[in-house]
Amino acid sequence: MTTTRTQVAIVGAGPSGLLLGALLHKAGIDAVIVEARSPEYVLGRIRAGVLEQVTVDLLDEAGVGTRMHQEGLVHGGFELAFGGARHRIDMKTLTGGKQVMVYGQTEVTRDLMAARATSGARTVYDAADVALHDFDSDHPRVTYSKDGASHELVCDFIAGCDGYHGVSRASVPAVAIRTYEKIYPFGWLGVLSDTPPVSHELIYSNHERGFALCSMRSMTRSRHYVQCSLDDHVEQWSDDAFWDELRRRLDPEAAEALVTGPSIEKSIAPLRSFVAEPMRFGRLCLAGDAAHIVPPTGAKGLNLAASDVGYLSSSIIDWYRGDQHSIDTYSERCLRRVWRAERFSWWFTSLMHKFPETGEFGQKMQAAELDYLVNSNAASTAMAENYVGLPMMAAG
Ligand code: RFL
Ligand code: PHB
């Protein structure tokens, strides 16, 4: 067994782990990241596309914002399609100037990986048998094996940034953790294609056949989704079947503008709301999907991961500067923002999808709420304020 000493052991090299590593490195704190997969695998996951200002600010603070500002698309609004027409939510006007950045998670990850490689900070990819130990003591440890050899990291803190299926949350004794979960009775089938976007902004569509979303990665690359059954398999969905279904769920003008092409990636994701409380257990802090999941409607997952990491990096930096109280409120500060984003994502999901069990009454309720939403300044403002992202708040 080879033993290495580091200040923070980070489990997982997704956006949470890499961003935490970057912010700690800037503050002169040494961290080693242990990742179960290869860099190519991590970059191959096509996920989030929309970054809140809070996330953009943290990426800038970490020193990895240059390409994002050059290539990202700044959006001041999005559209809601229903009843055969589209209605724009003018986020920028409604929130006094706030906007979002359309820049893919793959690119965020690529920028963070490149910066980490340049900084010389250590990342162990393809680590097997990752295990967490003694986080109820002052000397927590992470063990793993790599190429058949056993390794141990002795540290001050473990950051559990290993996603929903990771080992970190699973290492916490059941009596110390409480979880809340809602599983939705459908999934999202997503297709990435080198085709121009349908419109210059995102379109979220409520249709009697089910939800659809037209998003993008650039002016030449689109990301589209349709609500699908949980029993569906990607192989059952030919590209043609996907484009036909998407077209049917759009208003006539958007359907006309839709440019189709071969898929580069196609995947089905289930929809889930999930929160684990608390997010700190002695010297183990969870961040990002390891602690909570939102359904993707509203684009909050990666943004919550980033704000968790914002709170965590500042708490750890405070700790090394002698303020050992800040880490005590880490969980409380995160969870306040997490629950607000959970509420928004649940509400937006409920408003836009076809729910098999609610029947015609449910559809009438959605139609009435959408009508109210786009015609009431108060309702549009509440939606815009949540979509651009709520500010990072103190505890309490
Ligand atoms: P990740 O990205 O899952 O990374 C966790 C990393 O940990 C590794 N790992 C382990 N490493 C070591 N030991 C173990 N035992 C390990 N087990 C796992 C994994 O290999 C992985 O590399 O979590 P992180 O970093 O917290 O990031 C969270 C985000 O990825 C996630 O919230 C977003 O992708 C959610 N999401 C969206 N978020 C947004 O903010 N805006 C969006 O537009 C948006 N769209 C989406 C989304 C998620 C989607 N899917 C597929 C779930 C669209 C979709 C379709
Ligand atoms: C995406 O571009 O992948 C995306 C955009 C908005 C969402 C979810 C996903 O709400």
Side-chain angles (χ1 to χ4, degrees), residues 47-50 188 202 204 213 215-217 223 225 296-299 387:
R47 290 182 167 182
V50 179
W188 276 21
L202 272 62
Y204 290 88
L213 168 60
S215 181
M216 65 194 76
R217 291 292 176 271
R223 179 67 165 164
Y225 299 93
T297 338
Y387 195 91

Side-chain angles (χ1 to χ4, degrees), residues 83 205-211 227 245 248-249 352-355 363 366:
S205 179
N206 171 307
H207 191 272
E208 60 191 21
R209 295 182 65 88
F211 170 77
Q227 174 182 353
E245 190 56 38
R248 284 191 202 108
R249 297 184 189 187
M352 299 305 290
H353 291 75
K354 184 178 166 79
F355 282 78
Q363 284 176 18
Q366 286 184 340

Side-chain angles (χ1 to χ4, degrees), residues 50-57 73-78 88-102 201 300 337 340 380-393:
V50 179
L51 309 180
E52 299 173 354
Q53 188 62 49
V54 163
T55 306
V56 169
D57 291 346
L73 305 170
V74 176
H75 283 196
F78 61 89
R88 183 166 189 265
I89 301 290
D90 184 343
M91 294 183 288
K92 189 173 179 192
T93 305
L94 291 165
T95 61
K98 294 203 181 120
Q99 307 193 75
V100 296
M101 173 78 82
V102 173
E201 291 178 340
K300 292 293 167 227
R337 196 167 194 276
R340 290 184 178 197
S380 303
T381 305
M383 167 152 220
E385 189 172 73
N386 279 279
Y387 195 91
V388 298
L390 297 173
M392 295 204 33
M393 298 158 287

Side-chain angles (χ1 to χ4, degrees), residues 298-370:
K300 292 293 167 227
L302 173 59
N303 291 300
L304 278 183
S307 56
D308 287 355
V309 164
Y311 290 124
L312 184 55
S313 58
S314 63
S315 288
I316 292 178
I317 294 165
D318 286 347
W319 192 87
Y320 283 109
R321 289 184 182 151
D323 168 9
Q324 292 172 355
H325 177 66
S326 162
I327 197 84
D328 293 338
T329 60
Y330 165 70
S331 175
E332 194 187 335
R333 282 180 290 150
C334 286
L335 285 167
R336 190 165 175 221
R337 196 167 194 276
V338 166
W339 277 114
R340 290 184 178 197
E342 290 284 347
R343 187 210 64 80
F344 176 67
S345 308
W346 158 81
W347 167 78
F348 198 18
T349 302
S350 311
L351 180 66
M352 299 305 290
H353 291 75
K354 184 178 166 79
F355 282 78
E357 74 281 9
T358 58
E360 288 180 353
F361 182 79
Q363 284 176 18
K364 286 284 186 192
M365 289 298 102
Q366 286 184 340
E369 185 158 8
L370 284 162

Side-chain angles (χ1 to χ4, degrees), residues 32-56:
V32 175
I33 304 184
V34 182
E35 162 64 50
R37 304 290 196 148
S38 68
E40 298 72 34
Y41 183 93
V42 172
L43 282 174
R45 289 189 289 235
I46 307 298
R47 290 182 167 182
V50 179
L51 309 180
E52 299 173 354
Q53 188 62 49
V54 163
T55 306
V56 169

